[in-house]
Amino acid sequence: MRKLYYFLPLLTLLINPPVFAVEGWWQPQQLSQLAPVLAQEKLSLASFDINALQNHSLKAIVKLGNCSAAFVSDTGLLLTNYSCIAQSVTAAAGQRGLTLANGYTALQREAELPLANLHTSLITNTQNVTVQINRQIPSGLSSADKAEKISQISLALERECQQISQQQCEVSSSFDGLEYQLITSMLLTDVRLVHLPAVANKEALDNWSWPRYQADYVVLRAYQAAPVHSADQQDAVVSVFRPPAYLPLSGAGVNEGDAVVAVAFPRRSQRYSRAEELQFLFGLYYPQSVLYRQQAIELIEKLSDSDSGAAQYYQQLSRRLQHASHNEQNMLLRYQHSQLPINKSAFEQQLMQWINGSPVRQQVYGPVLDKLQRLNTRQHVVLQRDLVLVYLNYTKLPILAQQLYKLAKKRAAGNVSAAALDAEMATLRQQILSLPQQFDVRLDQGFALHFLRHYASLPQAARISALDHYFALNDGFNVDIVRHKLEAMYRSTLLNDPAQLLQWLQRSPAQFEHSRDSLINFAVAMYPASEGLAMERQQMKAELADIRRAYDEVIIAFNDAQGLPSYADSNATLRLSFGRVKGYQPLDAVWYQPFSTVKGLNNLLKRNIDTDDTTASLPVNFLSTNDSTWPDNSAVTLNKQGELVGLMFSGVAENQLAQWHYDRHSSRSVHMDIRYILWQLQQDQQNTLLLRELDIQR
């Protein structure tokens, strides 16, 4: 079977001179095939100890939520980004009445702070199961049936794996299903806070500036419970986890030009989007999203009552909307000034020239591109509609009524496990109990009236007949009719009383269907349409997966013809990125050096601290050419010997489009420098024991 690779943009390689940058997040099994890519960037496999990387370093890397972490001692110490676990730390501290503004250090293991719901997984085995899955898929299946069959086969493989290994097993697909990996992981559920630095220079996570001075790190410890072997044992014995490998810390750090490897679990990228997809996203979808967010913020400002119990909730919602709008506006601005649309179109022209250069390729690959374009056009209509529905879903009472009816239908159908039903019921119960702090009737009606107007302006293909009928929208949007219907709906319901809502948690579908409550009637009327939309989205997803799989085969063939290896889009599996420590030139006559220093930090904070030259020049953060897939910027950073030299935590402004492309000249990742971490630890005598545990390579 031919080895599968992903697309590395050929045009960029041809027209731009090397700047010591390697695009892509590469799978560990691809390391031996990376020689051509690294050589083109004036790196080589000989620059890295590949054997040590595969057989030792990667065994010390763990997945921590959506981030990466590394074991840095044989006593279970983990180093990771604080931004990855900030919520868990805040919750744990709040439960114990602790204030962590000045940092935290556990002087004994008994003082380490347990972090609930923070799970760490350590990969123990990876098996390619592509053949096993493909040979069980009958030919002639529809896209939806094929997706369902793959899901069933994957679930069976996972269950069999878990029975044998007694560990967590997951089938992960890459290349839109051209390749499947069965990943076995050890799940460590007992993770505790050991050290949190006292960070005076807290920065926003969406800060794309350089220089940065962010001490984004934290030290944790993983524990493991010994298995209970007899009924006489009441409690399992808990001890520190002894990892199969751990990374030594490089006390020497890195210099400008040094090669570095970033290891991470990036969740998602869209590097293989077509030009028409980008035109839709940045020409229509994101501008419309920004408009909707701004209008939602204006509604909150206009209609919310500052004296109501829900005022705080709506203020927080407004801040979230403003934050998201700010990010989207930045992306739009960055897109307008980027080479992304030009490079994407140029690459597709080259691809078409290659296809048209052979009658066989025209016959085999031409229909794939045509079908992908047709499906993208259909999906764009669906996405426009769903964007409006997002804001209609801010109406609390109608959505709660619909969720309650769906729960009743699931319970009656009997095809959902009791555990799943109980979990859904618990979630709904919490929403209901929180209603007095999260519901304002004026805002509920205001959101509905405003965004029903936007919905009514959608293309006919995006419309929902049941919703059109209910609000008399078939002949256009009449604001008086819609307002009257909304006022009658909210006036004739008892669902604004949490006690009434709680009673509906246990009621049958028939009780919903015979109710005279206006919002219950609305939920029943919308249910078939809601289920139809869910099926439509599932069908669309399956069809797109099928055609993208075929499109990826076109790209593979094209790259094979060019002798180029390629990388898979990110999918939350273990990946590696290669690069060098390097500054960049964002503007004419401006050059950013690759290191920020303690001296710069002191100047930023206006601190008159007398430091010697060595301390003043100590690096705090550094830049590298390593790839990133914003917003998944967490990565453990290693030097070519496999020693830990930093933690990637952010990117520069030019990385804001990292989901879609990598700019060889100006994409830079921002890392926490290990030297600053060690220096900070050395400033407090309380950290003496912690420093003794760490393996520091001078």
Side-chain angles (χ1 to χ4, degrees):
M1 178 180 173
R2 183 180 58 176
K3 293 182 179 177
L4 301 176
Y5 297 106
Y6 275 81
F7 153 52
L8 182 67
L10 176 65
L11 179 74
T12 308
L13 291 176
L14 293 176
I15 66 174
N16 293 326
V19 291
F20 313 124
V22 180
E23 177 184 342
W25 282 101
W26 303 86
Q27 297 168 302
Q29 60 267 29
Q30 290 183 278
L31 285 175
S32 60
Q33 287 90 40
L34 287 184
V37 176
L38 294 176
Q40 199 158 17
E41 306 304 336
K42 302 210 176 158
L43 294 167
S44 69
L45 287 177
S47 301
F48 304 92
D49 190 338
I50 296 298
N51 184 62
L53 193 62
Q54 288 179 312
N55 297 322
H56 178 82
S57 300
L58 294 185
K59 292 181 179 179
I61 306 297
V62 300
K63 186 176 183 180
L64 184 68
N66 292 316
C67 295
S68 62
F71 283 110
V72 289
S73 79
D74 61 357
T75 52
L77 287 179
L78 285 162
L79 190 62
T80 189
N81 300 104
Y82 170 66
S83 53
C84 293
I85 64 162
Q87 291 183 344
S88 296
V89 170
T90 300
Q95 290 173 359
R96 291 161 177 79
L98 298 174
T99 301
L100 303 183
N102 296 319
Y104 183 84
T105 297
L107 299 181
Q108 298 88 27
R109 289 183 182 171
E110 293 76 14
E112 294 172 358
L113 191 61
L115 303 177
N117 302 318
L118 185 65
H119 296 171
T120 297
S121 56
L122 174 66
I123 297 173
T124 57
N125 188 50
T126 301
Q127 178 186 356
N128 190 312
V129 292
T130 308
V131 175
Q132 290 174 254
I133 290 178
N134 286 340
R135 70 186 179 192
Q136 296 181 63
I137 302 174
S139 59
L141 291 180
S142 68
S143 296
D145 289 341
K146 184 176 181 180
E148 178 62 24
K149 184 64 175 177
I150 292 172
S151 178
Q152 293 172 359
I153 298 168
S154 299
L155 184 60
L157 286 171
E158 290 168 357
R159 287 173 176 169
E160 181 184 4
C161 167
Q162 285 166 187
Q163 289 175 353
I164 295 172
S165 66
Q166 300 298 307
Q167 294 184 359
Q168 179 177 274
C169 299
E170 179 184 10
V171 172
S172 176
S173 71
S174 56
F175 207 8
D176 295 300
L178 282 178
E179 189 174 76
Y180 294 91
Q181 301 287 336
L182 178 60
I183 302 170
T184 307
S185 304
M186 181 183 300
L187 191 63
L188 303 170
T189 59
D190 189 347
V191 180
R192 308 180 191 182
L193 175 65
V194 177
H195 173 74
L196 173 67
V199 183
N201 53 317
K202 294 184 183 297
E203 299 180 25
L205 295 181
D206 62 347
N207 184 349
W208 297 95
S209 63
W210 181 259
R212 298 285 292 274
Y213 302 95
Q214 193 162 343
D216 192 342
Y217 73 94
V218 66
V219 182
L220 311 174
R221 195 188 306 274
Y223 285 81
Q224 186 178 34
V228 176
H229 295 293
S230 68
D232 296 333
Q233 289 181 259
Q234 296 296 317
D235 298 306
V237 177
V238 177
S239 59
V240 298
F241 178 68
R242 301 287 178 174
Y246 67 92
L247 299 179
L249 307 183
S250 172
V254 290
N255 297 310
E256 184 172 5
D258 282 356
V260 288
V261 185
V263 189
F265 298 85
R267 279 177 295 174
R268 185 170 180 260
S269 63
Q270 303 173 69
R271 295 288 174 84
Y272 314 111
S273 298
R274 298 277 294 169
E276 71 259 13
E277 295 175 77
L278 297 175
Q279 290 165 6
F280 166 74
L281 285 175
F282 292 95
L284 178 61
Y285 185 84
Y286 285 124
Q288 197 70 46
S289 177
V290 169
L291 175 65
Y292 289 171
R293 292 187 197 280
Q294 293 299 328
Q295 291 176 347
I297 293 168
E298 291 170 6
L299 282 171
I300 293 172
E301 292 175 351
K302 179 181 178 181
L303 300 177
S304 64
D305 182 357
S306 59
D307 296 326
S308 73
Q312 184 178 1
Y313 166 77
Y314 283 106
Q315 288 169 4
Q316 292 173 346
L317 175 59
S318 180
R319 285 194 292 270
R320 291 199 301 271
L321 289 168
Q322 189 62 55
H323 179 79
S325 176
H326 175 70
N327 282 336
E328 288 180 344
Q329 290 180 69
N330 283 341
M331 285 198 305
L332 287 167
L333 184 62
R334 183 59 52 187
Y335 180 79
Q336 293 167 7
H337 294 88
S338 76
Q339 294 296 308
L340 173 56
I342 296 173
N343 288 350
K344 183 67 69 174
S345 297
F347 170 77
E348 290 178 9
Q349 289 177 10
Q350 283 201 336
L351 180 64
M352 286 305 303
Q353 289 175 3
W354 177 76
I355 291 173
N356 292 333
S358 162
V360 174
R361 291 197 292 268
Q362 286 179 339
Q363 183 177 4
V364 175
Y365 300 143
V368 172
L369 272 63
D370 292 339
K371 185 175 181 181
L372 178 57
Q373 184 175 25
R374 291 196 302 272
L375 278 175
N376 279 335
T377 301
R378 279 176 50 199
Q379 187 196 32
H380 296 165
V381 174
V382 172
L383 289 175
Q384 289 180 70
R385 179 200 63 209
D386 286 353
L387 182 60
V388 179
L389 294 183
V390 166
Y391 291 89
L392 285 173
N393 285 346
Y394 283 136
T395 57
K396 286 285 183 179
L397 289 191
I399 298 305
L400 266 175
Q402 292 178 63
Q403 290 174 321
L404 288 165
Y405 185 50
K406 286 181 180 180
L407 176 65
K409 296 286 283 187
K410 288 179 183 178
R411 188 188 298 113
N415 55 6
V416 180
S417 70
L421 285 173
D422 288 345
E424 188 170 344
M425 186 179 297
T427 300
L428 277 173
R429 182 184 298 275
Q430 184 58 46
Q431 290 181 33
I432 291 168
L433 294 175
S434 301
L435 190 64
Q437 292 80 42
Q438 299 183 355
F439 171 68
D440 184 312
V441 66
R442 292 181 66 205
L443 272 165
D444 238 41
Q445 292 185 52
F447 272 117
L449 180 64
H450 185 85
F451 287 102
L452 279 171
R453 184 193 296 270
H454 280 299
Y455 162 80
S457 68
L458 290 173
Q460 194 60 42
R463 301 284 284 275
I464 304 167
S465 59
L467 195 60
D468 288 344
H469 177 74
Y470 200 93
F471 288 103
L473 300 175
N474 287 312
D475 295 326
F477 182 85
N478 186 306
V479 65
D480 293 326
I481 292 175
V482 175
R483 181 185 289 113
H484 174 75
K485 284 182 172 290
L486 286 170
E487 289 173 349
M489 179 189 293
Y490 280 83
R491 186 171 55 247
S492 304
T493 185
L494 297 176
L495 297 190
N496 52 6
D497 180 3
Q500 290 286 333
L501 275 168
L502 288 171
Q503 293 179 24
W504 287 99
L505 277 171
Q506 299 290 348
R507 289 181 177 169
S508 67
Q511 289 174 295
F512 278 83
E513 291 149 14
H514 291 95
S515 172
R516 294 184 178 180
D517 188 284
S518 56
L519 279 175
I520 295 295
N521 291 340
F522 177 73
V524 172
M526 291 299 109
Y527 179 79
S530 177
E531 293 299 289
L533 291 180
M535 291 183 63
E536 178 189 10
R537 294 184 188 106
Q538 186 175 0
Q539 176 69 27
M540 176 68 69
K541 181 180 178 181
E543 290 184 33
L544 279 170
D546 261 359
I547 195 61
R548 288 194 181 283
R549 189 179 301 119
Y551 178 64
D552 288 344
E553 287 187 299
V554 178
I555 297 298
I556 287 172
F558 175 68
N559 282 300
D560 281 352
Q562 313 303 319
L564 289 174
S566 312
Y567 60 92
D569 254 327
S570 302
N571 62 350
T573 58
L574 183 63
R575 300 297 180 91
L576 298 93
S577 169
F578 295 84
R580 289 189 184 275
V581 177
K582 188 176 181 65
Y584 76 113
Q585 185 174 12
L587 300 168
D588 182 46
V590 175
W591 174 257
Y592 281 149
Q593 296 181 359
F595 293 98
S596 62
T597 64
V598 169
K599 179 180 179 181
L601 174 59
N602 289 339
N603 292 337
L604 176 70
L605 300 178
K606 297 181 171 60
R607 299 190 303 195
N608 295 318
I609 299 176
D610 187 17
T611 57
D612 58 41
D613 291 343
T614 301
T615 302
S617 61
L618 182 73
V620 178
N621 296 155
F622 68 86
L623 295 174
S624 80
T625 61
N626 292 79
D627 204 346
S628 66
T629 55
W630 178 82
D632 305 310
N633 286 319
S634 166
V636 175
T637 312
L638 314 177
N639 62 16
K640 60 186 180 182
Q641 288 83 29
E643 299 164 352
L644 193 149
V645 293
L647 297 170
M648 183 195 297
F649 68 89
S650 187
V652 296
E654 288 73 14
N655 287 51
Q656 287 176 294
L657 300 178
Q659 280 197 50
W660 296 277
H661 86 138
Y662 174 85
D663 188 307
R664 296 165 56 80
H665 293 288
S666 57
S667 287
R668 293 292 183 272
S669 294
V670 182
H671 308 249
M672 181 77 242
D673 196 297
I674 189 62
R675 288 167 289 188
Y676 186 67
I677 296 176
L678 294 174
W679 178 77
Q680 279 209 328
L681 289 173
Q682 292 163 0
Q683 301 313 298
D684 192 336
Q685 197 169 4
Q686 288 187 333
N687 298 320
T688 301
L689 294 177
L690 178 58
L691 284 165
R692 288 177 184 172
E693 283 191 76
L694 300 173
D695 185 3
I696 303 170
Q697 303 296 310
R698 298 295 178 182

